[in-house]
């Protein structure tokens, strides 16, 4: 396999799908050497099969807003690869959603899900719907309209969507309600991220952030360093940043920045419990403005319009909002300010130029597909509980999540250790994730 040839072919077939092409290229660069040591991979054309989704559904979603106006959106589900299990991955509601974005996210999901060591295939979906400023009733009507089309293609053994940007517990509840009515069965494993009490798992809301901090803790320990007193900069103030903030504080670190599309909130003395709780209200309001944190806690948080979290001095930087949110200049500013670790919690949160700058400065960098895998892993645990009609305690789920993250970390080290003893976490995650999928595809024949 020659990465250049595969990429030239893909670019010709999918012109303009830049995010998807970028994600594929990163993985292929990591696996090229290992792949070429396995002639059986080449013979079975594993890469050529892996880069194309099994299928993509595109559908019109029509709903009525509070003013009685008819609204149209486009919905998607990319069922990417089912070698390891039924398709699994989130739904993103955001005005920028398009096929390229969902193909990139679906592709990443294959490797992330593989890293969890659970039986999960890769998929992703969503709609170009903007939840900002929408009422609760509008959100419900949109979720129901989305499900009119989606319900036939999902199920615990077929495809199990979950939340992602713009989709949290409330949206999953509305979608599950519609699914249950249309499918005429209470098949809880068809969606994850449900509320506790009707199929949801304890710790699922916190899981992405908790898992990320378990991973970061290992990165820090690897350098014989400790989390105590470390300044952590997060971006966004959504579900992921919320969970990460809780765990970071629990591990003794100080969260000094969160952000939104409007700017950054610097929290000099570290985020407090009241502030973390308030993040939930901010998300539920659909205002999408981080300034509200500084308005509510004026002595603790300072808001600066138009700035990102990467302008705040920190030891650990964790992009946790959206892809490509850290560019090369941001990375250089962080390096100048003495950042010691960078761990993506958002999928592909850093642009290639940012990653190159961080790695060149010999600062440990870990990719989203490893760091944020705790979310989908806990979704996998939710499906296990649904299938067995059992509820694990919060401690039980947290212990399993912690073990999964430790195992992912160990695999990244095993496959990412370089000759000079340093760890390339990007290569480690890509190679470890790939090997499991490739072996399953080989065993299942040419299909
Ligand atoms: N959207 C999350 C992710 O990117 C969670 C997916 C899931 O739980 O299925 O992994």
């Amino acid at each position: 396999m020659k990465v250049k040839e595969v990429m030239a072919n893909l670019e010709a077939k999918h012109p303009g799908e830049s995010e998807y092409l970028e994600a594929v290229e990163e993985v292929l660069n990591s696996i090229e050497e290992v792949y070429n040591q396995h002639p059986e991979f080449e013979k079975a054309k594993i890469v050529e099969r892996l880069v194309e989704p099994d299928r993509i559904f595109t559908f019109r979603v029509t709903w009525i807003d509070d003013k009685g106006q008819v609204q149209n959106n486009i919905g998607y589900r990319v069922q990417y690869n089912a070698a390891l299990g039924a398709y699994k991955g989130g739904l993103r509601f955001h005005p920028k959603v398009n096929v390229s974005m969902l193909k990139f996210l679906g592709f990443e999901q294959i490797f992330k899900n593989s890293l969890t060591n659970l039986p999960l295939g890769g998929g992703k979906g969503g709609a170009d719907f903007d939840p900002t400023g929408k009422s609760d009733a509008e959100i419900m009507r949109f979720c129901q309209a989305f499900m009119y089309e989606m319900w036939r293609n999902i199920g615990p053994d077929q495809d199990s969507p979950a939340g992602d940007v713009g989709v949290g517990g409330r949206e999953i509840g509305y979608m599950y309600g519609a699914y249950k009515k249309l499918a005429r069965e209470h098949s809880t494993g068809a969606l994850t991220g449900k509320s506790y009490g009707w199929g949801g798992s304890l710790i699922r809301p916190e899981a992405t952030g908790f898992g990320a901090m378990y991973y970061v803790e290992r990165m820090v320990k690897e350098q014989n360093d400790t989390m105590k007193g470390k300044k952590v900069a997060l971006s966004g103030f959504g579900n992921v940043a919320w969970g990460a903030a809780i765990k970071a504080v629990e591990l003794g670190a100080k969260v000094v920045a969160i952000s939104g599309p409007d700017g950054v909130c610097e929290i000099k003395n570290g985020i407090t419990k009241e502030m973390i709780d308030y993040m939930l209200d901010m998300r539920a309001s659909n205002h999408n403005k981080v300034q509200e944190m500084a308005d509510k806690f004026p002595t603790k948080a300072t808001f600066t319009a138009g700035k990102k979290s990467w302008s705040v001095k920190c030891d650990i930087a964790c992009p946790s909002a959206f892809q490509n949110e850290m560019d090369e200049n941001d990375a250089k500013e962080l390096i100048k300010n003495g950042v010691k670790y960078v761990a993506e919690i958002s999928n592909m949160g850093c642009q290639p130029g940012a990653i190159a700058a961080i790695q060149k400065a010999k600062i440990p960098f870990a990719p989203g597909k490893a760091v944020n895998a705790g979310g989908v892993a806990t979704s996998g645990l939710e499906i296990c509980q649904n299938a067995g009609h059992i509820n694990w305690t919060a401690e039980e789920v947290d212990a399993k999540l912690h073990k999964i993250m430790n195992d992912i970390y160990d695999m990244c080290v095993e496959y990412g250790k370089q000759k000079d003893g340093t760890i390339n976490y990007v290569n480690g995650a890509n190679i470890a994730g790939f090997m499991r999928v490739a072996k399953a595809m080989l065993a299942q024949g040419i299909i």
Side-chain angles (χ1 to χ4, degrees), residues 205-227:
E206 295 88 346
T208 309
F210 276 23
M213 284 301 141
Y214 290 144
Y215 193 99
V216 168
E217 192 187 20
R218 291 289 307 272
M219 287 174 80
V220 171
K221 273 199 186 144
E222 192 85 44
Q223 307 300 320
N224 296 318
D225 199 357
T226 147
M227 291 290 282

Side-chain angles (χ1 to χ4, degrees), residues 88-90 109 112 124 160 162-164 192 204 347 372 375-376 379:
K88 182 87 198 86
Q109 200 81 42
K112 176 194 324 198
K124 200 86 185 190
S160 174
D164 196 78
T192 64
R204 177 64 190 88
N347 295 301
N372 74 26
V376 74
S379 278

Side-chain angles (χ1 to χ4, degrees), residues 152-229:
R152 280 184 194 279
N153 301 315
I154 65 171
D157 297 318
Q158 191 179 168
D159 185 352
S160 174
D164 196 78
V165 175
V167 178
R170 170 180 58 170
E171 291 75 14
I172 292 292
Y174 292 149
M175 283 192 267
Y176 187 77
Y179 169 79
K180 181 175 60 105
K181 194 162 181 85
L182 292 160
R184 298 208 182 174
E185 56 182 32
H186 214 313
S187 205
T188 40
L191 283 160
T192 64
K194 302 177 294 291
S195 302
Y196 186 70
W198 52 273
S201 173
L202 291 170
I203 304 292
R204 177 64 190 88
E206 295 88 346
T208 309
F210 276 23
M213 284 301 141
Y214 290 144
Y215 193 99
V216 168
E217 192 187 20
R218 291 289 307 272
M219 287 174 80
V220 171
K221 273 199 186 144
E222 192 85 44
Q223 307 300 320
N224 296 318
D225 199 357
T226 147
M227 291 290 282
K228 285 262 159 347

